Amino acid sequence: MQNAVERVITNMWERYDEPLSLEEMADMAVFSRFYFSRVFRSITGTSPGRFLTAIRLYKAKNLLLETTMSVTDISYQVGYNSPGTFSSRFTRSVGISPARYRCLSETGIPAPRCQAASGQHAGVVRGSVMAPETGVPTRMYVALFDSTIPQGAPIACAVLDGGDSYELTAVPDGQWFLHAVAVAVHDLDPRPWMRKPVLLAAGRPVKVVAGRTVMANVELRPPRQTDLPILLALPELDSRAPRSARDTPAETGWQRPSTLDPVASSKNWASNSRLVVT
């Protein structure tokens, strides 16, 4: 089953600009449509259609960075018949519009802002981050989202430049999905669209109750083919030029629990770096 799903995902990456139907994808896996959908979701955490959409938007991010194509042309290039639909989905998923994403990639992508809840309706999520040795300096992003896909504004978020623990405060009541990703901060590919996360942890469900603290440890691992691409704009993965030194983490709305090297961190905060990852 794993091999069948991976075969379909390979085809999605190669044919993302085509109108692939569920029936065609099920045929690739040699499964019935119903069984294919169930198996695909159990392995990837989402439906085949949403996975294909994530690939298309990920490819659109690349085209916005590496070409001068118009947003309209890019929308057609990645399989959309309506530029308006493409722009709205890109904005909802990445957190900023295609045009703004391209512009900010030159001056520095700001860290995403969280949707904090009021104190009386909020809880806390806290835990440790366990990661295998990578041999390279990394920055870790830990965030809660409302789905298995790390997209749009996080419900709560934190950035770790050192240490192995995190704390997310002002988390609203409900069930959320905990995502984490480690990205390299030095010696990066000069082409942002070629950069990949070093480690990740995807889509762990977390139930939050107001006034309580939930313990949720995170275990990072190397990316797999069945992982969704990260759509959320992350500074180290997407920026082509560093931001001004005056733009500090406090201005971005992210919590920053610890820092190994304040000078290096401020220098690299929004330059050089997937919620999601190929």
Side-chain angles (χ1 to χ4, degrees):
M1 291 190 295
Q2 180 84 17
N3 289 341
V5 169
E6 290 179 354
R7 184 165 63 250
V8 174
I9 291 174
T10 296
N11 272 273
M12 287 182 181
W13 283 104
E14 293 173 351
R15 301 170 56 190
Y16 62 89
D17 57 333
E18 299 179 22
L20 292 174
S21 67
L22 178 59
E23 184 173 4
E24 287 179 281
M25 290 186 277
D27 286 343
M28 294 174 197
V30 197
F31 293 152
S32 69
R33 286 184 296 174
F34 175 78
Y35 185 66
F36 170 67
S37 294
R38 188 174 65 181
V39 168
F40 191 96
R41 185 180 291 275
S42 70
I43 291 176
T44 66
T46 192
S47 69
R50 293 194 73 185
F51 202 107
L52 178 58
T53 295
I55 289 175
R56 287 172 170 167
L57 295 177
Y58 180 84
K59 287 292 188 178
K61 287 175 65 178
N62 293 354
L63 291 171
L64 286 164
L65 292 179
E66 64 180 315
T67 75
T68 58
M69 294 172 62
S70 69
V71 171
T72 296
D73 288 342
I74 288 174
S75 70
Y76 295 134
Q77 183 71 27
V78 298
Y80 283 87
N81 294 322
S82 166
T85 299
F86 163 73
S87 292
S88 63
R89 288 186 180 176
F90 186 99
T91 302
R92 183 170 64 249
S93 298
V94 179
I96 49 180
S97 70
R100 182 163 174 75
Y101 175 80
R102 172 177 272 168
C103 179
L104 289 178
S105 73
E106 299 286 356
T107 58
I109 300 283
R113 293 185 179 277
C114 305
Q115 303 176 17
S118 60
Q120 62 180 2
H121 299 296
V124 175
V125 178
R126 179 184 300 150
S128 298
V129 179
M130 296 162 283
E133 181 58 46
T134 63
V136 297
T138 61
R139 172 169 297 126
M140 289 185 284
Y141 292 80
V142 182
L144 290 171
F145 292 87
D146 60 4
S147 77
T148 56
I149 302 177
Q151 62 180 10
I155 301 301
C157 39
V159 178
L160 285 71
D161 279 309
D164 58 0
S165 62
Y166 74 93
E167 181 176 280
L168 305 176
T169 59
V171 181
D173 277 337
Q175 178 167 287
W176 312 108
F177 294 89
L178 184 65
H179 295 264
V181 61
V183 298
V185 292
H186 300 302
D187 301 323
L188 302 170
D189 193 307
R191 301 162 296 175
W193 53 92
M194 295 299 293
R195 298 170 189 167
K196 300 290 187 290
V198 179
L199 301 167
L200 65 88
R204 173 183 173 177
V206 176
K207 177 67 175 179
V208 177
V209 178
R212 299 184 183 179
T213 297
V214 178
M215 299 301 297
N217 294 331
V218 177
E219 186 171 355
L220 297 175
R221 58 167 173 77
R224 301 168 183 160
Q225 184 179 6
T226 52
D227 291 318
L228 285 150
I230 289 181
L231 301 181
L232 182 71
L234 293 180
E236 291 83 356
L237 289 177
D238 299 306
S239 288
R240 284 190 283 189
R243 291 194 302 163
S244 166
R246 63 181 173 78
D247 291 328
T248 65
E251 295 169 357
T252 67
W254 281 68
Q255 305 168 44
R256 191 177 186 188
S258 55
T259 302
L260 285 175
D261 183 345
V263 175
S265 295
S266 62
K267 182 178 180 181
N268 291 299
W269 180 257
S271 66
N272 305 325
S273 154
R274 202 268 1 305
L275 247 175
V276 170
V277 181
T278 60

